[in-house]
Amino acid sequence: MCGIVGIVGHSYVNQAIYDALTVLQHRGQDAAGIVTCDGDRLFLRKDNGMVRDVFRNRHMRRLVGNMGIGHVRYPTAGSSSSAEAQPFYVNSPYGITLAHNGNLTNSEALAEHLYRSDLRHINTTSDSEVLLNVFAHELHERGKGKLRPEPDDIFDAVAAVHRRAEGAYAVVAMITGYGILAFRDPRGIRPVCFGKKDTEHGPEYMVASESVALSSLGFHLERDLAPGEAIYITADGEVHTRHCYDQPQLNPCIFEQVYLARPDSIIDDISVYKARLRMGEKLAEKIEREWADHDIDVVIPIPDTSRTSALQMANRLNLKYREGFIKNRYIGRTFIMPGQQQRRKSVRQKLNAIELEFSGKNVLLVDDSIVRGTTCHEIIQMAREAGARKVYFASAAPAVKFPNVYGIDMPAARELIAHGRSDQEVCELIGADNLIYQDLEDLVSACQEGNPGISQFDCSVFNGEYLAGNIDQHYLDDLEARRSDDAKKNKEKSRALADNEVIDLHNSN
């Protein structure tokens, strides 16, 4: 999960890109980067950390130019090294910078082919750098002998990327001195949209992962990019679009609606806020069907993502809705934190219970989803310690049973609490008195109501059906070996040892 943004304006865009990245900070808290273009010169700043920490006044002053792109990241592919912060750059052809949200499921094969056939060397383990070099190679092949890239050359290169790359990707790229390009994978799994703002000097254009980044900067949402579509905006403000794939299908990631996106975003014509209201409505209907004689006294959300669904549940069930937990907003999202111990500690740091809302009551806690189970287990314990008589738990999403391979960091099946377990077994493990999951059919219906034209969502984390990338068990096993908590710990140990060797070498000299 990452956030991307690109702007073509009539004045310096550094502050606008910075502001957009802060709005998209929920999509990645590991690293941030901005690159701007002034004439034929590029200005780049990227590093590990939150947006506010990466960019200081001295950095912002250097990011001059009327067009640029930005990125916020947490690492799903590659490592957490600052060298893998985005955007990435290649100097041929023309000079291209690129940032990307998603995951290429055939990145290793592509990297091998780039090295052996395309004669391009990859410096990191990031699939974003692979994607950049594939696009650069294809554009080079079509632009030989040309002083400037033509829109058709660019779109032909994107079409070639679609033929070679597998998986999910939303991309923003800048061709130095010429313009900004954005494109979306042929199934539209990862989101990207574009907007326009009229100014006294003429229209300005912006692309971003979520519409909230556009609206917060005064841009009007034009539309989402269609699956397989590309948009190229020249430095002079000319807009070119083309569908670059013959048989695209719109299969957006449903987990965006459940958890990833901000509620004030609109993705593929679906209001995330309204979709979450409907999730709460559907879940209340399930309780009415299957647990009509419940003894729930109060509905309490786990802040922040589940508030919308929890409020609608309480209204439908004619129950009290109360805020029982106060959140420390300076702790990151816990399910993407490395290591169970760190996640458990973080939950206690992030939330504090209001005892008077729990004491002597049967409470229904509502969360957006249950991934590893760490968060909900700790929260249920906190509710009991605050005096709750009984603690029930409801998930606005179905059981997460399968790893995500399209850019969300929950890869190891054995680390998912619902994988291979019944609902009752999960209930016992998290310590709840009862557990209610959303039905997948109801989740799809809640989202589909916003856009009936979407016939199928990517629901792979719930049903194990991977729509892109030819995913098999061998791929999943390899992914788990590289991205499980144990693998991350070993990677951190190796990095620490390497750092110590550098220090020892320095001291010996």
Side-chain angles (χ1 to χ4, degrees):
M1 183 177 72
C2 298
I4 59 174
V5 61
I7 300 178
V8 176
H10 295 287
S11 58
Y12 285 0
V13 296
N14 52 352
Q15 187 64 52
I17 295 174
Y18 176 96
D19 292 342
L21 292 182
T22 61
V23 174
L24 296 175
Q25 186 76 83
H26 62 285
R27 301 190 66 88
Q29 301 158 21
D30 181 73
I34 294 175
V35 60
T36 58
C37 180
D38 186 28
D40 60 356
R41 298 183 65 195
L42 292 178
F43 303 88
L44 171 68
R45 167 64 181 170
K46 61 178 182 176
D47 202 354
N48 279 355
M50 305 277 275
V51 174
R52 65 171 182 262
D53 299 319
V54 171
F55 302 101
R56 303 293 186 179
N57 286 337
R58 66 182 184 276
H59 304 128
M60 295 298 291
R61 285 195 295 268
R62 295 170 188 155
L63 293 171
V64 299
N66 293 358
M67 66 177 181
I69 64 176
H71 185 265
V72 288
R73 178 191 85 138
Y74 80 77
T76 54
S79 74
S80 57
S81 166
S82 60
E84 302 204 358
Q86 298 183 40
F88 285 109
Y89 170 77
V90 291
N91 63 359
S92 176
Y94 311 111
I96 304 171
T97 46
L98 179 144
H100 137 259
N101 171 35
N103 182 52
L104 299 185
T105 58
N106 65 334
S107 61
E108 290 186 2
L110 282 173
E112 181 70 16
H113 190 273
L114 283 167
Y115 178 71
R116 295 190 179 278
S117 299
D118 298 346
L119 303 180
R120 286 180 172 266
H121 181 71
I122 305 301
N123 297 302
T124 70
T125 58
S126 172
D127 59 341
S128 302
E129 190 188 9
V130 172
L131 188 57
L132 167 60
N133 278 273
V134 171
F135 172 71
H137 171 78
E138 297 296 342
L139 183 58
H140 175 76
E141 291 298 301
R142 287 151 184 82
K144 287 179 178 177
K146 297 182 180 179
L147 296 177
R148 60 181 300 127
E150 300 294 334
D152 283 344
D153 296 331
I154 294 169
F155 293 143
D156 287 345
V158 172
V161 170
H162 289 328
R163 289 192 295 270
R164 295 178 63 177
E166 298 175 0
Y169 47 92
V171 175
V172 61
M174 182 166 63
I175 304 174
T176 306
Y178 295 111
I180 283 179
L181 166 73
F183 57 94
R184 193 177 185 186
D185 70 78
R187 289 189 176 269
I189 295 174
R190 299 263 69 87
V192 62
C193 58
F194 75 97
K196 176 183 175 183
K197 178 168 68 175
D198 291 320
T199 74
E200 60 183 30
H201 301 292
E204 297 182 336
Y205 296 93
M206 178 176 177
V207 296
S209 293
E210 294 184 34
S211 65
V212 65
L214 305 178
S215 58
S216 67
L217 270 69
F219 285 78
H220 174 264
L221 172 65
E222 294 291 309
R223 60 180 174 84
D224 296 89
L225 288 187
E229 185 184 15
I231 180 171
Y232 176 56
I233 306 162
T234 70
D236 298 326
E238 295 179 3
V239 179
H240 306 266
T241 63
R242 194 172 101 183
H243 292 274
C244 301
Y245 195 79
D246 291 337
Q247 294 180 313
Q249 298 181 47
L250 182 56
N251 305 129
C253 173
I254 205 165
F255 211 70
E256 291 277 354
Q257 302 290 337
V258 170
Y259 174 79
L260 299 182
R262 274 182 42 155
D264 43 350
S265 283
I266 297 172
I267 296 179
D268 293 311
D269 295 328
I270 302 171
S271 163
V272 177
Y273 174 74
K274 289 186 176 180
R276 289 176 184 170
L277 283 176
R278 292 189 290 267
M279 291 174 205
E281 186 86 12
K282 298 287 186 183
L283 200 49
E285 291 173 1
K286 181 175 181 178
I287 290 176
E288 289 176 332
R289 287 194 313 268
E290 300 182 3
W291 193 18
D293 60 344
H294 68 78
D295 57 352
I296 302 167
D297 296 318
V298 61
V299 176
I300 295 177
I302 315 286
D304 286 316
T305 322
S306 62
R307 279 199 175 104
T308 310
S309 297
L311 180 59
Q312 191 68 4
M313 279 186 69
N315 289 337
R316 173 62 188 258
L317 295 171
N318 198 27
L319 293 170
K320 292 179 181 178
Y321 171 90
R322 292 290 185 267
E323 293 286 343
F325 294 102
I326 300 302
K327 183 177 182 181
N328 178 354
R329 300 186 182 279
Y330 302 99
I331 302 293
R333 289 182 157 188
T334 51
F335 94 88
I336 64 175
M337 287 184 173
Q340 287 290 81
Q341 220 171 17
Q342 185 177 346
R343 280 187 285 271
R344 289 194 186 98
K345 180 181 178 182
S346 178
V347 171
R348 295 279 178 163
Q349 292 175 330
K350 184 168 71 170
L351 296 176
N352 191 54
I354 302 175
E355 290 190 9
L356 63 87
E357 296 296 354
F358 293 92
S359 183
K361 299 176 184 177
N362 299 336
V363 300
L364 175 64
L365 302 181
V366 182
D367 207 353
D368 51 76
S369 58
I370 304 173
V371 181
R372 290 176 169 94
T374 311
T375 300
C376 52
H377 179 270
E378 291 297 316
I379 288 172
I380 288 168
Q381 288 301 111
M382 291 171 66
R384 294 196 190 282
E385 292 166 8
R389 189 165 58 241
K390 292 182 181 178
V391 183
Y392 307 122
F393 205 93
S395 168
V400 177
K401 296 186 175 184
F402 302 94
N404 183 279
V405 302
Y406 300 130
I408 305 174
D409 190 24
M410 41 179 167
R414 61 183 172 82
E415 293 170 3
L416 304 175
I417 194 170
H419 182 77
R421 295 188 177 100
S422 67
D423 292 356
Q424 183 57 38
E425 288 173 325
V426 174
C427 182
E428 293 171 2
L429 283 171
I430 65 175
D433 293 296
N434 196 10
L435 171 63
I436 306 99
Y437 276 114
Q438 184 87 264
D439 291 333
L440 181 56
E441 296 78 10
D442 287 341
L443 174 61
V444 171
S445 176
C447 298
Q448 215 164 31
E449 189 174 328
N451 185 351
I454 300 175
S455 60
Q456 185 178 14
F457 289 87
D458 164 48
C459 302
S460 54
V461 297
F462 305 122
N463 60 16
E465 296 177 9
Y466 298 100
L467 303 178
N470 300 314
I471 305 303
D472 57 18
Q473 192 56 48
H474 174 75
Y475 180 88
L476 296 175
D477 291 343
D478 181 63
L479 195 69
E480 177 169 340
R482 289 185 286 116
R483 299 192 194 170
S484 67
D485 278 349
D486 290 341
K488 289 176 181 176
K489 286 179 183 177
N490 291 334
K491 193 179 293 182
E492 290 301 320
K493 286 180 181 178
S494 298
R495 186 177 298 118
L497 288 172
D499 290 343
N500 287 334
E501 287 177 2
V502 171
I503 293 171
D504 290 342
L505 181 62
H506 175 76
N507 291 337
S508 66
N509 290 336

